[in-house]
Amino acid sequence: TFQINPRYTFESFIEGDCNRLARSAGLAVAQKPGVTSFNPLMLYGGVGLGKTHLVQAIGNYVQENGQKKILYVSSDRFTNQFIEALKNNDLQSFTDYYMQADVLAIDDVQFLSGKEKTQEIFFNIFNHLHQSGKQIIMTSDCPPKELKGLQERLLSRFKWGLTADLKQPDLETRIAIIHKILQSEDNKNIEISGKVVEYLAHSIDSNVRELEGAIVSIIAKASLNQSPITMELAKQTVQQIVQPVDSSEINIDEVQKYVGDYFGVSVEMLKSKTRKKEIVIARQIAMYFAKEYTGFSLKSIGYHFGGRDHSTVIHAIQTVNDMMSEKKELKMYIDDLRKKFSK
Ligand code: ADP
Ligand code: MG
């Protein structure tokens, strides 16, 4: 009844500053379920940051290294099974089933929110397992204190053990993840340059699922065309994935080109270190529109403007906003450019 993806292992989980604590707590729990003080182990973090991968890695580890019985279930599935058991008047086998686990992993507990009866049964199972020294692992999309619609008595138990978060992966981790995908057996013959890897890691910084999706789709296109992964292909794919803020489909290259042309400044100059006044203003305006139109993060925009950091981008956007209220002329330029963009 339970599905653990055999690909989700500790070996395939890239470690970085963003997930170090969660990963090592997970490994400790996998090695000594129920024995460490990490009980329950509560892992939380946004979508696509590796919660399911990590709990299932614990599951795979436990299964491969000993006799312990692991049960993995999403809280949605848990809820449905509970409702089904109620209908069939068979609550006993439902609770028995979960109470005989040595390790119970329940994924996405935020979905238990507002489901009083399900929470009650989970509370009983939790208590039974915990008292018998069995390991409980949970994941959630937010820290326990922000879990709305969960009973206080449950929440207080979630805090008995260890709570660890998964953060957005840093650049280094993103690069490592890309390399990991490229090294897999199926992708052995794919050629990709360091520059393209860097471009991708810089451009997709929201979550690992999205990054993975991009790489997989690029690899697929490249092998269909039997061609290497070019920068062009990488850019196209990023363009499809990084959703523009509004429906306009303007990429960062186009923003730079439009703004550059408008002010008679080359794209090269926009990306350069030059501090010449006219160029600085054009650069700041281009950054301003990049934020407005591309959906790239501030960090990512900085990277595409000659490797500047995100505080420079914040400063540029503020400067443009300030100048618009002070200088009529500048406001005119901006409005004019915006019209061009919307065509
Ligand atoms: P969540 O459950 O937090 O929404 P998932 O565990 O489903 O996220 O992860 C999304 C995808 O990203 C999965 O394919 C997973 O293998 C991959 N992934 C996430 N974090 C990492 C990591 N640190 N190393 C390797 N792959 C990762
Ligand atoms: Mg998940």
Side-chain angles (χ1 to χ4, degrees):
T1 49
F2 84 126
Q3 303 105 348
I4 290 191
N5 186 336
R7 280 194 317 114
Y8 287 169
T9 61
F10 282 104
E11 288 73 45
S12 64
F13 189 81
I14 304 284
E15 184 178 355
D17 286 343
C18 52
N19 60 34
R20 192 158 285 122
L21 176 67
R23 184 188 173 280
S24 50
L27 190 56
V29 159
Q31 287 164 339
K32 289 190 156 75
V35 178
T36 65
S37 54
F38 309 151
N39 198 17
L41 174 63
M42 172 75 161
L43 303 169
Y44 73 89
V47 64
L49 295 183
K51 300 181 294 295
T52 297
H53 187 138
L54 199 48
V55 261
Q56 297 204 356
I58 299 173
N60 277 313
Y61 190 102
V62 171
Q63 270 190 322
E64 280 159 25
N65 297 277
Q67 312 299 317
K68 301 239 172 187
K69 184 168 179 68
I70 161 124
L71 292 180
Y72 165 89
V73 69
S74 68
S75 28
D76 258 349
R77 193 179 165 87
F78 181 83
T79 305
N80 291 336
Q81 289 174 344
F82 169 62
I83 295 170
E84 198 59 26
L86 272 182
K87 256 198 241 158
N88 301 335
N89 228 333
D90 198 13
L91 219 46
Q92 194 62 41
S93 21
F94 174 78
T95 43
D96 284 352
Y97 175 72
Y98 282 103
M99 283 183 178
Q100 41 89 34
D102 295 306
V103 180
L104 175 63
I106 174 152
D107 207 356
D108 289 318
V109 290
Q110 74 273 8
F111 295 132
L112 295 181
S113 164
K115 298 180 175 128
E116 301 294 328
K117 284 273 184 306
T118 314
Q119 288 183 37
E120 202 166 296
I121 202 101
F122 179 54
F123 182 76
N124 293 336
I125 293 169
F126 184 108
N127 287 338
H128 175 87
L129 292 176
H130 199 271
Q131 276 157 18
S132 339
K134 303 299 167 65
Q135 180 70 47
I136 298 149
I137 309 155
M138 293 174 289
T139 76
S140 149
D141 68 350
C142 63
K145 65 171 192 296
E146 286 169 25
L147 274 170
K148 302 220 168 61
L150 256 72
Q151 296 162 6
E152 196 46 52
R153 58 180 192 165
L154 254 184
L155 289 181
S156 73
R157 271 162 177 71
F158 291 1
K159 293 173 201 154
W160 281 355
L162 180 82
T163 300
D165 66 336
L166 292 153
K167 299 189 190 67
Q168 285 202 6
D170 41 276
L171 179 64
E172 230 177 291
T173 310
R174 297 200 299 275
I175 290 178
I177 288 170
I178 298 175
H179 282 301
K180 180 96 199 176
I181 301 171
L182 290 165
Q183 276 156 17
S184 82
E185 202 53 41
D186 307 336
N187 302 328
K188 265 210 172 118
N189 302 321
I190 303 286
E191 281 173 59
I192 188 168
S193 74
K195 250 198 139 80
V196 174
V197 171
E198 206 187 296
Y199 169 82
L200 290 166
H202 273 288
S203 304
I204 303 173
D205 57 3
S206 51
N207 71 56
V208 185
R209 187 172 299 151
E210 216 165 73
L211 183 61
E212 244 182 23
I215 309 300
V216 168
S217 130
I218 288 172
I219 290 172
K221 286 182 207 158
S223 37
L224 263 179
N225 302 337
Q226 299 193 313
S227 63
I229 298 176
T230 58
M231 188 60 110
E232 194 53 38
L233 179 58
K235 283 190 174 175
Q236 266 174 23
T237 308
V238 166
Q239 178 63 21
Q240 286 160 2
I241 285 176
V242 179
Q243 278 296 323
V245 182
D246 56 21
S247 55
S248 57
E249 284 194 24
I250 300 168
N251 65 37
I252 202 151
D253 292 347
E254 286 165 351
V255 169
Q256 289 172 335
K257 192 174 173 314
Y258 279 161
V259 177
D261 285 353
Y262 189 84
F263 291 107
V265 174
S266 70
V267 171
E268 219 165 43
M269 283 309 233
L270 290 178
K271 294 184 179 178
S272 74
K273 298 261 176 291
T274 316
R275 305 263 341 129
K276 261 182 151 170
K277 206 169 157 213
E278 315 85 73
I279 293 169
V280 170
I281 292 178
R283 184 184 297 136
Q284 288 175 328
I285 292 175
M287 287 179 176
Y288 171 92
F289 279 117
K291 179 69 203 154
E292 182 164 328
Y293 287 123
T294 65
F296 277 29
S297 70
L298 295 168
K299 246 191 169 151
S300 182
I301 292 171
Y303 165 75
H304 292 289
F305 279 86
R308 293 176 154 80
D309 78 32
H310 81 292
S311 59
T312 308
V313 182
I314 295 176
H315 176 73
I317 294 168
Q318 264 166 7
T319 308
V320 173
N321 276 323
D322 292 349
M323 283 195 306
M324 274 202 292
S325 47
E326 287 158 19
K327 290 191 186 156
K328 272 212 186 103
E329 201 187 42
L330 190 103
K331 171 102 174 53
M332 222 177 60
Y333 291 156
I334 301 276
D335 290 343
D336 205 18
L337 270 163
R338 186 169 283 122
K339 266 183 225 141
K340 283 197 200 309
F341 281 126
S342 47
K343 267 177 212 159

